[in-house]
Amino acid sequence: MDNREHEIIGSIYDAAVDVNLWPQVIEKIVQYTDSKTAIFTALDQFSPSYDFLFSHNIPDEALHAYRDERIRVIDMQLHRVLWENLGVGQVASSDLSHYGENPESDEYIFYERCLNPTGISYISAVLLDQGSHRWAVLGLHRAPDAAPYQQKELDFLKQLGVHLRRALQIHRQFSLVKQENLSLYSVLDHLKTGIILLDHNLRLNYCNPLAQRMMEQGSCLDLDLHNRLKTNIGDQSRLDQLLHSALLGQSALNADVGGVLSLSDAKGQQLMLTIVPCSKLKNMQHQNARQHQIAVFLTDMHQHYALSQAYLQQAYQLSKREFELCELLLNGYKLEEIAEHCGITLSSVRTYFKNIYEKTQCNSQIELMHLLMGCTIHFEHIG
C-alpha cells in the first residue's frame, strides 16, 4: 500500500467524526482512481437523521435530482440486483449506457435525471450497507469514452469499503445521539462500544461500562499510576504516538491526527482502538475543552453481535422479548437453545418468530438474519 492510499484511509476516519471533510476525501479517491465523478450516499428510510449524500464533480442539475427522495429510492431499488450475488463489502463494475434505451423504465428516469447530465457511463461501486429500506454505497464514474475500471482499481475500492463501513457505523451512532437529544454521558453509558475520554494530560477521566469490562477481562490495555493508558512494550510507543497526534489535532501540520491500533495479549484478547480528537466530535463540543481532549473507541474482535434495540422497536415495533430472541438467533443459538436459554417452550419460540417475520416482512430465517446483520451496533473490526 503506497502513501497516497494510507492518506486516503486516514482521511476516512477524520470524516467519520466530522462530516464536513467527506468532500475532500471523495475528491482524493476520484483523483487516485482517475475517475470523473463520485457519489457517497447512505439512505435509511426508517431513520432519516442517518441519511447523507456527498459527491464530487456532479453538476447541480444531477445533484438536485439525486437529492429527490424518489430518485434515491429508485437508485436503491434499481441497483439492488447488482449485488444479489455479491453482498455487502463487494464491488460491482458496469456500463450503464443502456439505461437510456427504454423511456418507460426506472432505468430511463435515472439515466435522464442523473447520468446523462453528468456525462458518465462506466461505474464501479462498493456496497457498504443493504436492507429492504436502506443502503449505502460509494460509486465512482467515468465518461463513455474512458477505459473501464481495471481489477487493481476495483481491489482498491473493495479495500476502502472496509474502512468506509466502519466510518458509517461511527456516523450512525452519533446520529442517534443527535436524534434522541440525550445527554452525552447517558448515551455513552449505554452504547455497545467501549469509549474512553482523556484530558489534556492524557489522563483518563471517563470510561463507559463496556470499556471498563474490556480492560478488566484482559491485559491488552490498562492504566498506569498517573491514570494514563498503557499496553504491552511493543505497542506502547505507537499508542503514545497516536494519542499525542490526536492531542495536537489540527496544529500538527502535515501529520496524521489520531488513528487506529490493534492490540492483543497472550490470552487471546484482541482489541481495536480508534483514537480521535474530541474537537471533531460535534456532540462533545459543549463539554469543558480541557476535560475532554481525546476519545478512544474500543471494540473486542471476539465480542458477540449486539443489536440496536431502539432502532428495531422504532422500525419494526419488536417487543423486548422479540428483540432478545433476535439477538440470540444472530449469535448462533438454535431454536431449541433459545427456548432453554429463555425458559420458554419451543412452541412459544416458534410463535415469537412467526410474529417477528410478519413485523419485519421476512419470509425465511435467512432473510431475517440478513436484516439483523444490518442492525448491529458494533463497529466492523479491521485487521
Side-chain angles (χ1 to χ4, degrees):
M1 185 183 298
D2 62 32
N3 291 332
R4 289 182 66 190
E5 292 180 6
H6 278 293
E7 179 186 353
I8 291 172
I9 291 171
S11 67
I12 286 173
Y13 289 104
D14 289 338
V17 291
D18 184 355
V19 296
N20 295 317
L21 298 177
W22 278 119
Q24 300 173 31
V25 177
I26 297 171
E27 181 178 7
K28 290 178 182 178
I29 296 173
V30 167
Q31 292 174 348
Y32 187 71
T33 58
D34 292 324
S35 300
K36 179 181 180 181
T37 64
I39 192 161
F40 179 35
T41 183
L43 169 67
D44 189 333
Q45 292 177 285
F46 289 124
S47 185
S49 66
Y50 169 69
D51 295 1
F52 68 89
L53 169 66
F54 295 98
S55 64
H56 176 72
N57 204 31
I58 293 180
D60 290 342
E61 177 185 353
L63 198 57
H64 177 73
Y66 204 89
R67 292 188 185 279
D68 182 334
E69 181 75 11
R70 174 171 170 261
I71 297 297
R72 296 184 71 190
V73 173
I74 284 177
D75 188 13
M76 176 181 68
Q77 295 176 345
L78 184 64
H79 296 129
R80 185 176 289 138
V81 297
L82 287 173
W83 314 102
E84 285 181 349
N85 299 317
L86 295 175
V88 174
Q90 300 302 312
V91 174
S93 181
S94 182
D95 178 0
L96 303 185
S97 57
H98 64 281
Y99 275 21
E101 296 175 358
N102 183 3
E104 304 299 324
S105 64
D106 284 344
E107 288 93 337
Y108 186 83
I109 294 173
F110 186 76
Y111 178 84
E112 285 296 311
R113 297 288 302 277
C114 298
L115 300 181
N116 196 31
T118 310
I120 57 177
S121 176
Y122 291 114
I123 70 159
S124 65
V126 57
L127 183 65
L128 306 170
D129 189 17
Q130 185 181 37
S132 58
H133 295 88
R134 73 182 189 282
W135 87 325
V137 66
L138 170 68
L140 304 177
H141 319 114
R142 286 178 176 170
D145 57 351
Y149 287 94
Q150 302 301 305
Q151 189 60 48
K152 180 181 179 181
E153 296 161 331
L154 300 179
D155 290 343
F156 171 64
L157 187 57
K158 182 177 180 179
Q159 178 186 358
L160 282 189
V162 177
H163 303 281
L164 290 168
R165 288 171 66 191
R166 185 180 174 95
L168 284 174
Q169 291 168 335
I170 294 173
H171 170 71
R172 180 182 286 278
Q173 293 207 17
F174 280 99
S175 71
L176 290 174
V177 173
K178 182 178 180 181
Q179 178 178 331
E180 299 296 336
N181 195 27
L182 299 174
S183 70
L184 175 67
Y185 293 123
S186 175
V187 173
L188 297 185
D189 281 346
H190 292 89
L191 284 183
K192 301 297 185 181
T193 301
I195 298 180
I196 295 171
L197 302 181
L198 308 179
D199 66 12
H200 63 289
N201 290 316
L202 299 182
R203 294 192 179 100
L204 184 150
N205 56 34
Y206 170 81
C207 185
N208 77 342
L210 184 55
Q212 293 176 34
R213 291 198 296 272
M214 289 181 185
M215 295 175 69
E216 291 170 353
Q217 292 171 358
S219 58
C220 286
L221 199 63
D222 204 349
L223 296 171
D224 66 15
L225 296 177
H226 302 286
N227 221 37
R228 296 189 179 102
L229 296 178
K230 70 176 183 179
T231 185
N232 60 73
I233 296 176
D235 291 313
Q236 187 67 51
S237 61
R238 178 57 178 162
L239 175 61
D240 291 341
Q241 178 186 354
L242 294 175
L243 291 173
H244 281 97
S245 71
L247 187 62
L248 289 172
Q250 297 301 328
S251 64
L253 187 62
N254 296 324
D256 293 331
V257 178
V260 180
L261 177 65
S262 176
L263 301 175
S264 60
D265 66 12
K267 296 182 179 180
Q269 184 187 44
Q270 291 183 293
L271 296 181
M272 182 70 72
L273 277 61
T274 301
I275 300 167
V276 297
C278 285
S279 60
K280 294 191 175 185
L281 304 181
K282 304 299 184 182
N283 298 289
M284 295 186 185
Q285 288 184 349
H286 66 284
Q287 301 292 333
N288 184 290
R290 293 179 66 82
Q291 183 181 9
H292 301 319
Q293 287 284 310
I294 297 172
V296 181
F297 296 82
L298 285 75
T299 51
D300 186 341
M301 294 185 181
H302 299 307
Q303 195 169 29
H304 78 286
Y305 288 107
L307 294 170
S308 171
Q309 184 171 358
Y311 175 79
L312 286 171
Q313 287 177 337
Q314 176 188 357
Y316 302 108
Q317 291 76 52
L318 296 190
S319 68
K320 184 177 179 180
R321 174 66 89 180
E322 289 169 343
F323 169 81
E324 180 185 7
L325 268 58
C326 284
E327 197 161 69
L328 291 171
L329 179 70
L330 185 62
N331 283 283
Y333 282 67
K334 297 178 181 178
L335 297 187
E336 294 81 1
E337 294 170 335
I338 292 176
E340 181 179 354
H341 180 88
C342 296
I344 58 179
T345 66
L346 180 59
S347 175
S348 295
V349 171
R350 291 194 171 110
T351 299
Y352 275 118
F353 276 109
K354 179 181 178 182
N355 292 333
I356 292 170
Y357 289 150
E358 291 178 355
K359 289 182 178 182
T360 59
Q361 297 184 352
C362 291
N363 297 314
S364 66
Q365 190 175 107
I366 294 176
E367 284 188 25
L368 179 62
M369 288 288 286
H370 184 78
L371 181 146
L372 294 176
M373 284 298 294
C375 299
T376 58
I377 52 178
H378 282 298
F379 291 163
E380 179 133 4
H381 306 301
I382 304 165

